[in-house]
């Protein structure tokens, strides 16, 4: 059998950014601290300096963490790895600098500074641009090798290579988003895999002559195919051998060398990307960005500052605005993968039911329909008490239906429900069975906050008002957004929402002000 990917490793890939490296390396993890770096990391920085790269200085810590993680694992991850480089966190001069001293210097062909994004990597052109690693496909054993590239922006062209030589390669197909693998076998007999997405780590590993393993993002498998002797051709990135069949994708990093565990390497690279995206931001904002990246979202990268400002404002207020808030997410400034990522790592990840990319506008948020689309927060309404609670949605486009639910924990009894009674009224329930009617705003926050058995405040159409309605007994249903929970989602709403929140009581006007700033700052990008 080829090298096992390991179910325990694979199951840990999608932990938070900080947890990924620790999950794989345990107590052997060596992270650099302060201004002092390990000898291996400092050697890499010295070689970047020699190459004329100054961009990397802002990203020294994530790059050092990645190198130290590889060094701690040793073996095929560092000592005997043949070639590896980072295209994130460096400048255009740095793309030719390999991670380890002793690896061949990489030769770049026709790349310019505009091809490089420090957060997502280097982009090819499917014509003249590629990298020669300086290593050959027979520099490793016929049946002891591994290879990977992290594709952050896949472009599917017929037989366009992300990386490889004549017999060791992975490449794309223009017809059906297929990833084609060949590993020391005749290319006419390669395996073709249609993944959920190739917008992530793509790798392959062979440890025996009869079969090999492949790995794409969340997919992995085995292919029975006998190996053939490598031909001694060069390993290139963005093409194969000497620039043949180039690719137009964007790549963040790559590796080539003896066999290793691909899931482990993917985890380390996920941490690298997450930490680089968080450079210059608070711990809380950086953690959110790492989880967005792990979810496959890169859209947020253009909107990091407004998102960070919003999170930092919540953290500064603390209490119910951050520390004890039960659920909150932004639907502005993110991609469709990001709508299920909560603002805080201790909040439950949301479940997307039937939303697609076309439902999302980065400036105004997520739009529902009246039949099938909703988000399950995976948080029960009993996460708060019926005398200390609040919930809200921020509307950017009013819905058209009547008796539709913008947010709801259960259909009957006491709970949290914002149900449209007409195009002008909403029935608002905040931990009570009866509820009361408020104006259905064209835009802005709609919500309520309860601080006692009878006292409640609500906000609608820019006005916060106090009222009296008795609290009821909460029933424990999960809170849905764009629907209410009747054991399954019903009363779907077709409004467009920018964000929502659920948790203990807070001042609604304060929270609305922070959300209005978020939307304004995102629109200004």
């Amino acid at each position: 059998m080829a090298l096992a990917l390991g179910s325990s490793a694979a199951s840990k890939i999608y932990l938070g950014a900080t947890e990924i490296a620790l999950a794989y390396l345990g107590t052997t993890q060596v992270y650099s601290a302060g201004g002092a770096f390990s000898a291996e990391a400092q050697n890499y920085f010295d070689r970047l300096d020699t190459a004329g790269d100054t961009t990397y200085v802002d990203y020294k810590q994530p790059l050092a963490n990645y190198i130290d993680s590889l060094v701690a694992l040793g073996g095929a991850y560092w000592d005997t790895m043949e070639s590896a480089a980072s295209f994130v966190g460096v400048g255009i001069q740095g793309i030719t600098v390999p991670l380890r001293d002793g690896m061949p210097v990489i030769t770049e062909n026709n790349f310019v500074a505009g091809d490089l994004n420090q957060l997502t990597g280097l982009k090819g052109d499917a014509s003249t641009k590629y990298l020669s690693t300086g290593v050959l496909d027979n520099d490793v054993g016929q049946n002891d090798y591994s290879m990977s590239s992290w594709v952050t922006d896949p472009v599917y062209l017929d037989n366009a290579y992300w990386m490889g030589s004549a017999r060791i390669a992975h490449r794309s197909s223009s017809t059906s988003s297929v990833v084609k693998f060949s590993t020391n076998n005749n290319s006419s007999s390669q395996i073709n895999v249609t993944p959920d997405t190739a917008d992530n780590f793509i790798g392959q590993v062979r440890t025996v002559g009869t079969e090999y393993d492949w790995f794409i993002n969340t997919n992995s498998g085995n292919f029975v195919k006998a190996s053939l002797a490598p031909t001694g051709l060069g390993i290139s990135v963005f093409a194969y051998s000497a620039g043949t069949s180039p690719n137009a994708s964007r790549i963040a990093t790559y590796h080539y060398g003896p066999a290793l565990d691909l899931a482990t390497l993917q985890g380390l690279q996920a941490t690298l990307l997450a930490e680089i995206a968080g450079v210059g931001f608070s711990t809380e904002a950086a953690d959110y960005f790492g989880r967005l990246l792990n979810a496959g979202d890169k859209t947020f990268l253009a909107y990091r500052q407004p998102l960070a400002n919003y999170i930092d404002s919540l953290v500064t207020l603390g209490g119910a605005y951050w520390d004890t808030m039960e659920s909150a997410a932004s639907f502005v400034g993110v991609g469709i993968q990001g709508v299920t990522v909560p603002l805080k790592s201790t909040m439950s990840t949301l479940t997307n039911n039937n939303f697609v990319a076309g439902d999302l506008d980065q400036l105004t948020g997520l739009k529902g329909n009246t039949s099938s689309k909703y988000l399950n927060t995976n948080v029960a309404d009993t996460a708060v008490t019926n005398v200390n609670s609040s919930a809200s949605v921020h509307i950017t486009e009013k819905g058209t239906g009547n008796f539709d639910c913008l947010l709801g924990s259960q259909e009957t009894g006491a709970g949290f429900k914002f149900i449209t009674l007409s195009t002008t009224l909403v029935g608002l329930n905040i931990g009570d069975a009866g509820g009361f009617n408020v104006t259905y705003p064209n835009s802005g926050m709609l919500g309520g906050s309860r601080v006692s058995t009878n006292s409640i405040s609500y906000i609608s159409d820019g006005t916060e008002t106090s009222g009296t309605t008795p609290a009821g007994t909460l029933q424990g249903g999960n809170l849905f957004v764009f629907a209410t929970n009747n054991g399954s989602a019903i009363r779907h709403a077709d409004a467009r929402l920018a964000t929502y929140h659920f948790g203990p009581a807070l001042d609604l006007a304060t929270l609305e002000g922070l959300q209005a700033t978020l939307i304004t700052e995102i629109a200004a990008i």
Side-chain angles (χ1 to χ4, degrees):
M1 292 295 293
L3 183 70
L5 295 177
S7 59
S8 60
S11 67
K12 294 175 182 174
I13 291 170
Y14 298 98
L15 295 172
T18 302
E19 294 174 337
I20 292 175
L22 297 178
Y24 292 109
L25 300 180
T27 58
T28 65
Q29 180 67 36
V30 182
Y31 273 176
S32 305
F37 295 97
S38 67
E40 295 84 356
Q42 188 59 56
N43 177 276
Y44 177 56
F45 299 153
D46 291 344
R47 288 181 288 115
L48 286 170
D49 286 334
T50 300
D53 187 359
T54 57
T55 300
Y56 84 91
V57 172
D58 291 337
Y59 303 97
K60 290 175 80 170
Q61 193 63 61
L63 290 166
N65 292 345
Y66 180 47
I67 287 174
D68 293 347
S69 300
L70 296 170
V71 171
L73 285 169
Y77 298 88
W78 183 255
D79 305 313
T80 59
M81 188 178 283
E82 293 287 338
S83 185
S86 176
F87 308 139
V88 292
V90 299
I92 192 65
Q93 304 91 339
I95 64 172
T96 61
V97 179
L99 294 182
R100 195 190 77 237
D101 195 16
M103 292 176 173
V105 174
I106 301 157
T107 302
E108 69 87 9
N109 295 273
N110 305 308
F111 287 101
V112 297
D115 300 325
L116 184 64
N117 183 300
Q118 275 69 50
L119 306 181
T120 55
L122 188 63
K123 184 169 175 59
D125 67 350
S127 177
T128 62
K129 300 180 181 185
Y130 70 100
L131 299 171
S132 295
T133 66
V135 296
L136 306 178
D137 59 12
N138 61 359
D139 284 339
V140 294
Q142 177 174 334
N143 301 314
D144 180 19
Y145 103 96
S146 63
M147 182 173 71
S148 70
S149 57
W150 191 297
V151 181
T152 56
D153 183 13
V155 177
Y156 288 95
L157 302 171
D158 193 34
N159 290 329
Y161 283 68
W162 286 297
M163 183 180 178
S165 71
R167 285 189 177 164
I168 302 176
H170 45 264
R171 53 199 169 103
S172 65
S173 168
S174 63
T175 54
S176 57
S177 299
V178 165
V179 178
K180 298 184 175 184
F181 290 101
S182 54
T183 64
N184 280 347
N185 59 272
N186 190 315
S187 61
S188 64
S189 301
Q190 79 276 321
I191 185 173
N192 298 340
V193 181
T194 304
D196 54 351
T197 175
D199 188 1
N200 203 293
F201 182 91
I202 305 174
Q204 53 206 86
V205 57
R206 183 188 281 275
T207 60
V208 295
T210 54
E211 58 191 48
Y212 65 87
D213 290 332
W214 56 267
F215 198 104
I216 312 172
N217 196 2
T218 58
N219 298 286
S220 61
N222 175 264
F223 185 57
V224 176
K225 184 66 182 178
S227 67
L228 299 173
T231 55
L233 294 176
I235 298 290
S236 292
V237 187
F238 296 96
Y240 85 85
S241 297
T244 304
S245 300
N247 203 299
S249 298
R250 189 179 295 276
I251 297 176
T253 187
Y254 80 91
H255 102 279
Y256 174 68
L260 49 68
D261 185 83
L262 295 170
T264 298
L265 185 63
Q266 183 191 31
L268 300 181
Q269 293 181 0
T271 301
L272 170 67
L273 290 168
E275 289 181 348
I276 281 178
V279 166
F281 296 97
S282 67
T283 300
E284 294 83 0
D287 175 80
Y288 177 55
F289 298 155
R291 288 180 289 110
L292 285 170
L293 274 175
N294 285 341
D297 186 3
K298 294 185 301 299
T299 301
F300 81 92
L301 291 169
Y303 304 98
R304 288 184 303 164
Q305 194 62 62
L307 290 166
N309 293 345
Y310 179 47
I311 287 176
D312 292 347
S313 297
L314 295 171
V315 171
T316 298
L317 288 169
Y321 297 89
W322 183 257
D323 303 318
T324 58
M325 188 178 284
E326 292 293 337
S327 186
S330 178
F331 307 141
V332 291
V334 299
I336 192 63
Q337 305 94 333
V339 302
T340 62
V341 178
L343 297 183
K344 192 171 66 173
S345 62
T346 55
M347 295 173 175
S348 297
T349 300
L350 288 73
T351 301
N352 174 3
N353 292 272
N354 304 309
F355 286 103
V356 297
D359 300 322
L360 184 65
D361 184 301
Q362 275 71 51
L363 306 186
T364 55
L366 189 63
K367 183 172 175 59
N369 65 5
T370 57
S371 61
S372 62
K373 299 182 180 186
Y374 70 101
L375 297 170
N376 183 346
T377 68
N378 293 305
V379 176
D381 62 10
T382 48
V384 298
T385 68
N386 61 353
V387 294
N388 182 16
S389 60
S390 65
S392 71
V393 294
H394 196 112
I395 298 166
T396 58
E397 180 184 325
K398 206 171 174 180
T400 60
N402 294 330
F403 303 108
D404 294 339
C405 190
L406 300 163
L407 176 148
S409 59
Q410 65 271 329
E411 172 66 7
T412 59
F416 298 86
K417 294 185 287 291
F418 302 170
I419 295 179
T420 62
L421 302 178
S422 67
T423 56
T424 58
L425 287 178
V426 174
L428 199 69
N429 297 60
I430 304 294
D432 56 276
F436 51 94
N437 298 341
V438 301
T439 300
Y440 188 179
N442 291 315
S443 63
M445 178 179 281
L446 173 69
S449 182
R450 179 183 292 278
V451 294
S452 70
T453 301
N454 291 305
S455 179
I456 193 168
S457 63
Y458 60 89
I459 193 166
S460 172
D461 215 20
T463 302
E464 188 172 15
T465 307
S466 296
T468 301
T469 181
T473 301
L474 301 175
Q475 300 179 20
N478 278 3
L479 191 74
F480 290 172
V481 187
F482 295 98
T484 190
N485 185 351
N486 191 36
S488 60
I490 61 172
R491 298 188 186 275
H492 302 83
D494 64 348
R496 189 179 294 274
L497 305 180
T499 186
Y500 78 95
H501 102 278
F502 172 64
L506 48 68
D507 183 75
L508 297 165
T510 298
L511 184 60
E512 182 181 34
L514 299 182
Q515 293 176 356
T517 299
L518 169 67
I519 294 168
T520 298
E521 290 180 348
I522 282 177
I525 296 295

